[in-house]
Amino acid sequence: MTHHQQNHQERLHGLDHLRALAIILVFLFHYFILSGGQPAWLPDTAQFGWTGVDLFFVLSGFLISSQLFAQIKKGQPISFKDFFTRRFFRIVPAYLATVALYFCFPFFREKESLPPLWQFLTFTQNIGLNLKDNGTFSHCWSLCVEEHFYLFLPLTLITLQTFKRFKRSYGILIGLFLLGFVIRYISYTSLYLPHIDSATPWMYWYQFIYYPTYNRLDGLLAGVSIAAIYRFLPQTWTYISRWGNVLTALGLVLLTGAYFLCENQMTFNASLFGFPLIALGYGLIVTGAVSTRSFLYQWSSKATYFLATLSYAIYLTHKGVIHMTHKILSGFKIDDNLMLFICMITCVGFAWLMHTTVEKPFMRLRSRIIRKKPANKNVTAPEPAK
């Protein structure tokens, strides 16, 4: 067996498919908003596309914690410095390049005004975000949530390692999951409801319910839980993995229920129970995708691999590129469906440029910096995109 064949077998193809699905969902959801609901068929088709971010959360929770759990299982201490070095070179260069585009080139902005620069530089843009007045690059909120996760997770694991309490850490997962219901209840009743009769109640719902990190941990916690079983309970995982396709189907059933529950996102039930139900649904699908007997695991695709590779760059830049494409072509009478296709091409092309000129050089630099350190043989999954 060649080295290429080994890498091919080791790669978790199912996660590529899901990452590609996630970026397609997010792209279509944002496209119909930016295009004023065109093409006419798109709003009904893509209105649940906002959950693509939740799928990214589950994927990130699984991949990142799986890597750290592999170290713990081998008895290796977690190095906060090493972890952040890897995360920094994977996330920050492309992110800062996108921030620079937004602040230096107003033509790139899909809306009128940006939050202050310091909020982007400190990953606090999702706290108190006013979508009505500062909605440009609003999708950065999910990256803020993940950066908070990248700070919280290794520090928690290092603390558990230090005090030898790791075996009982499942209580933290359960506690955080239950705490999410409490915090969303308080956020809904005490922060959102007082503004429900205002001129823009939706703005306050996003500000107090949708964007804050403390309300959106469900997907990440689902990913961490899957990784814990994957790494530490091999017999349980062997049993679960026999049912990969069934778990995928069950996940789709739960997501169908979440679709109807969240038709009006701003209701009490949707605000309280929508995010955990979506996290559970996508969690089952991710579990299925990592199960060796599932069709998602066994099917490899160059198309989904390509989209998965570019998904982070697409996520960062797609709103600005859609806006620019519409502006540049506004003088032409272009069919709505053709315009959608053109924007797909321009977004993928721009993301490829970002990936080639920014992401890959900094990943090579990261490799040179950590080259002298032993590679983690347990990491077989691709890098997560946000």
Side-chain angles (χ1 to χ4, degrees):
M1 182 181 292
T2 66
H3 178 68
H4 173 77
Q5 287 172 322
Q6 287 176 331
N7 287 340
H8 181 77
Q9 285 196 356
E10 288 174 352
R11 188 175 186 88
L12 299 177
H13 301 295
L15 301 188
D16 286 338
H17 308 325
L18 295 184
R19 191 178 292 109
L21 171 63
I23 196 59
I24 290 170
L25 288 172
V26 170
F27 172 86
L28 292 176
F29 178 74
H30 287 150
Y31 185 87
F32 88 75
I33 293 174
L34 293 172
S35 67
Q38 300 301 321
W41 57 267
L42 187 57
D44 289 338
T45 304
Q47 65 177 337
F48 201 53
W50 60 271
T51 65
V53 172
D54 295 83
L55 177 52
F56 275 133
F57 285 160
V58 179
L59 288 167
S60 290
F62 171 75
L63 287 165
I64 297 302
S65 56
S66 182
Q67 293 170 14
L68 294 173
F69 290 164
Q71 290 180 251
I72 293 172
K73 190 174 181 180
K74 293 172 67 176
Q76 298 174 348
I78 293 173
S79 168
F80 191 77
K81 179 182 177 182
D82 289 350
F83 177 82
F84 249 85
T85 298
R86 292 176 179 275
R87 291 296 90 209
F88 179 89
F89 283 101
R90 178 66 184 95
I91 302 300
V92 174
Y95 170 69
L96 290 181
T98 307
V99 171
L101 286 172
Y102 270 106
F103 277 87
C104 297
F105 301 96
F107 188 61
F108 191 76
R109 302 173 191 171
E110 71 273 7
K111 292 182 74 173
E112 295 76 18
S113 56
L114 287 155
L117 177 60
W118 67 266
Q119 288 192 299
F120 289 103
L121 298 181
T122 57
F123 293 101
T124 55
Q125 173 256 13
N126 69 318
I127 305 299
L129 176 57
N130 182 329
L131 189 60
K132 178 176 177 290
D133 298 324
N134 299 114
T136 304
F137 199 14
S138 60
H139 56 291
C140 170
W141 74 270
S142 64
L143 194 58
C144 296
V145 172
E146 295 212 15
E147 287 300 312
H148 301 160
F149 172 69
Y150 296 151
L151 177 65
F152 176 77
L153 179 66
L155 288 177
T156 301
L157 295 179
I158 290 169
T159 302
L160 291 170
Q161 273 189 317
T162 302
F163 293 98
K164 303 186 186 304
R165 290 288 185 270
F166 185 78
K167 289 185 178 180
R168 300 192 178 186
S169 57
Y170 62 86
I172 297 176
L173 285 175
I174 296 172
L176 287 173
F177 182 75
L178 295 176
L179 185 62
F181 288 97
V182 176
I183 295 176
R184 280 192 297 273
Y185 177 84
I186 294 172
S187 298
Y188 191 90
T189 57
S190 299
L191 299 177
Y192 168 64
L193 280 184
H195 300 281
I196 198 168
D197 293 323
S198 67
T200 54
W202 55 270
M203 183 195 79
Y204 295 101
W205 185 84
Y206 277 96
Q207 185 177 76
F208 296 126
I209 306 295
Y210 188 82
Y211 290 138
T213 301
Y214 47 76
N215 284 334
R216 301 307 309 273
L217 293 175
D218 303 87
L220 292 162
L221 293 174
V224 173
S225 302
I226 297 165
I229 299 171
Y230 182 70
R231 289 297 187 191
F232 297 116
L233 300 173
Q235 291 183 329
T236 303
W237 182 262
T238 299
Y239 177 78
I240 291 174
S241 64
R242 297 174 185 170
W243 306 94
N245 291 325
V246 175
L247 293 173
T248 300
L250 182 58
L252 291 173
V253 171
L254 293 183
L255 289 173
T256 302
Y259 174 87
F260 290 106
L261 174 64
C262 297
E263 277 190 299
N264 181 355
Q265 285 180 275
M266 299 175 202
T267 63
F268 175 80
N269 286 335
S271 300
L272 199 64
F273 303 108
F275 301 139
L277 184 59
I278 290 165
L280 182 58
Y282 280 130
L284 288 171
I285 292 174
V286 169
T287 304
V290 189
S291 301
T292 54
R293 294 189 184 182
S294 73
F295 77 96
L296 286 173
Y297 182 94
Q298 296 173 359
W299 166 49
S300 64
S301 166
K302 291 182 179 179
T304 56
Y305 171 75
F306 178 71
L307 276 181
T309 302
L310 297 183
S311 60
Y312 180 46
I314 294 173
Y315 186 81
L316 287 172
T317 60
H318 70 284
K319 278 188 179 180
V321 176
I322 291 171
H323 170 75
M324 289 196 304
T325 304
H326 281 170
K327 284 291 185 182
I328 292 170
L329 299 178
S330 60
F332 301 89
K333 293 184 178 180
I334 299 177
D335 176 77
D336 291 331
N337 291 293
L338 178 58
M339 180 63 82
L340 171 60
F341 178 75
I342 292 171
C343 286
M344 288 179 179
I345 299 300
T346 56
C347 284
V348 170
F350 198 91
W352 177 84
L353 186 64
M354 173 78 79
H355 178 70
T356 304
T357 60
V358 180
E359 287 187 283
K360 288 180 73 174
F362 277 96
M363 290 299 287
R364 286 194 293 266
L365 176 60
R366 184 183 80 165
S367 296
R368 287 198 294 271
I369 290 173
I370 64 177
R371 185 175 296 162
K372 295 181 180 179
K373 299 174 182 177
N376 185 349
K377 302 289 187 181
N378 289 290
V379 179
T380 59
E383 284 278 2
K386 310 303 172 282

